[in-house]
Amino acid sequence: MKPRSKRELSEKLSLYIDGELPESEVREIEEVIAGNPEAAKELRELRAMKSLLESKQRAPETLGFWTRLSAQLQVKEKEEESLLPFPRRYLPLVYVTGAAAVVLVGLLLFQQRTDMIDYVSRQSEMVQKAVEDNVLKGTLLPLFTDVDKNQALQFALFGALPLDAKSETALRVDDSAERGYRIDVGKKAIEQIPRITVGEFVSEVKPTRRQQEVIDSVLDIGRLRLESSVLLAEDRALAIDENLPRLNRVMLSGIAAVLEPTQRVRFERFLKAKKAPFMVAATEALPEPPEKIIHEIRTIQRPERMIVVTPDTFVYSRLELDLDSLRRQFRAVVAMRPQVTIHFGGLVKRFAEREATARRHISIETPPLTVMSDSDAFTIHIRTQEGEVVQFARNEWIRRRVPITVPVARRGRDQIVDFNFNIFGDDTSFEFNVNLDSLVLRMRKDGPEAAFEFFMRDMDHEQRYADSQRGRARVPTDSVMKAKERARARLDSLIRVMQERELRERR
Amino acid sequence: MKAASTVYKNESGQTSKLIAGSPDSTAQVVREGRSRAGKLLTQVVDAPLNEKSDEVLITMFQQGERGVFRVLVERYQARIKNLIYSIFHEPDVIDDLAQEVFIKACEALPQFRFQSSFYTWLYRIAVNRSRDELRKRKLRRLFSLQTLVDSADREVTAKLTVQPKESEVQEIVASALKSLPERYRMVIILKDIDGLSYEEISEVLQCELGTVKSRLFRARAMLRSVLKPLLEEHS
């Protein structure tokens, strides 16, 4: 059958040059080729292409392929062996013993199956949630790309870094009003960040050429670190390097430590004029050797642990990130800044909706972490233990100038905008601070009962919450407490009625 | 399969090990074991390992002679490296990816069921690993302005604007191959560079024969359009 279209002809020619055309069609296609110059030309080109590909350069020879491969195979084998705490030949015996033990335990547990079913169902929900929350497997985008030295200096001096050129959003690290540190991300963090340049700094402080080199290195290392410190997993999660507040201090200390006393006085004048939150403290001390300064900042070069925040939960997580390869992609992301900003906006919006999901049981790996959010910003509060602050930064060079500002999520029309409560699990507890802008709206709309409902999920937990609040300045308002008491009374009477009914049925 | 059953007909239940020799030379395989009667049996087989078929070697491997894996590696490493080189055209990645392919093969070989030939199975591992790598790279490029196809296309067009030297032809062909989407690139590499049959390609790519034919036709059409000036000259 002769080809009816050009495409069919091409398809048959492709099969023909491979010798895969059925014999019955070979003769026909040869006739077509003979009578059709276009087809003949296409055939010639296809053959030329095939021969070009056949003669394509082969992979270059490399030596020692087997040596490397066998070494890797041996390592793998040893790893597998080392996982076994007994000789491999006992493996079948261990399997049989293990299986018997499982059956035995299974039989024992069968007798307590009701509890087990509850337990397993709870656990499976948690596992499901953990899987759903494992969002950082998606594409990771750095929130900050192409950080230049001016921005790095700005971060060192003010702890703040604008997210985009329009400067509508920023990241800010600071001391917390409570013990610890906080990282603010969002629109409000942009407030009061003066624009400064390295040029201004140099003309004011007048460092020597050698000092400039050291400061350059400090800014360079800081800049690279900043680029990998906040990662966005599309609009689902944000991973933040928990050492970010430390970075700002170490950078600033490093700059102060390299300067001579007279230069430090000029530096302090510069910081004061710019209203930086830190001042240079030890103006009389001699400069530190550059190696020490560089070493200090290099020790915090790679994040080991990141805080992963999603709209539903937040955890500490050890992320296995190939930061070098990630960094190579940073430049490419610059062009896509609008997408990153949109993703980020989406994420913050989802954070803002979080109070709706706050009733869920959320567990957290490490307790001293709080995330607060409102409609266009959120704050991560890292609480520190007593004395921990000393090792957090080299405080001998810098000192806080201005009083600690209150967390972003607490700024607002009223004095009290956020609301603290604790949720206790079986063996974990965490503090959850919700910005109440939206909850206040809900209270206005639905009356105090809405807040009460929000608060009164679990009477026992509530009691423990009340205990934990002792000594705190902020306590629930009277109206909320009265509402809780009424609810408790109602619940008590309900329990009594149920107990009586049960007793009657038993009799 | 026939060879395997002949060799191991009388050896079921025996343990064996490779005791000496490089696979290139005649290797001595000493098999020790107990017959059903419990009598110690030692059998020395003098045969060049590198002349044994894949099936025999795999059976030996599955019986515990891990050393024969080297013969398989040396038999196929060039082809696997070429395949990887054709896909990526980057000398740096060849060895790493090829090592991963053979490690994976070594791990999976005990479960090899002889349902396909060893080399199509090995090719499948290599193709899947390469696809993973391409996918990773694609993800990384997701947020760059230009896709791989665009940039590779432009590269070829730029090179073809002047008359290429013979040494550059290879480079142009490689860039043109790179400009093809992965599914078309794989099929044309397997057919025209590695010389696999349609049936083998369908086994490696795990798709229908019809799909292989249509992909190959489309791949050739795309490549032809990219390489047109060069082909006119060469034909």
Side-chain angles (χ1 to χ4, degrees), chain A residues 6-75:
Chain A
K6 199 164 179 291
R7 185 195 158 95
E8 200 181 333
L9 174 67
S10 297
E11 276 176 351
K12 292 203 168 174
L13 284 174
S14 175
L15 293 169
Y16 178 68
I17 60 161
D18 290 335
E20 297 275 352
L21 200 62
E23 270 183 37
S24 56
E25 294 182 36
V26 170
R27 205 190 159 110
E28 283 170 8
I29 200 81
E30 282 171 350
E31 279 173 16
V32 172
I33 295 161
N36 182 348
E38 275 289 304
K41 188 183 172 222
E42 186 172 344
L43 182 67
R44 277 198 305 279
E45 286 182 2
L46 281 174
R47 282 195 171 134
M49 191 164 76
K50 198 171 165 70
S51 99
L52 273 176
L53 288 170
E54 278 166 356
S55 65
K56 194 185 160 293
Q57 208 176 1
R58 303 277 126 176
E61 283 286 318
T62 47
L63 293 171
F65 183 80
W66 170 253
T67 314
R68 286 197 304 278
L69 179 62
S70 61
Q72 283 198 43
L73 287 171
Q74 271 176 12
V75 168

Side-chain angles (χ1 to χ4, degrees), chain A residues 10 14-15 18 45 50 54-59 62 65-66 68 72 76-77 329 336, chain B residues 66 70 77 81-82 95 99 103 107 139-140 143 170 191-193 198 216-217 220 224 228:
Chain A
S10 297
S14 175
L15 293 169
D18 290 335
E45 286 182 2
K50 198 171 165 70
E54 278 166 356
S55 65
K56 194 185 160 293
Q57 208 176 1
R58 303 277 126 176
T62 47
F65 183 80
W66 170 253
R68 286 197 304 278
Q72 283 198 43
K76 275 201 164 271
E77 208 163 304
Q329 305 303 319
M336 303 305 285
Chain B
R66 308 275 291 178
R70 179 174 183 173
Q77 61 163 303
K81 283 182 188 174
N82 276 331
D95 265 22
Q99 299 245 337
I103 288 171
E107 286 169 351
L139 260 185
R140 287 182 210 147
F143 289 89
Q170 295 282 346
K191 179 71 203 140
D192 286 346
I193 298 179
Y198 283 18
L216 193 58
F217 155 70
R220 282 176 171 155
R224 203 172 136 234
K228 202 151 184 63

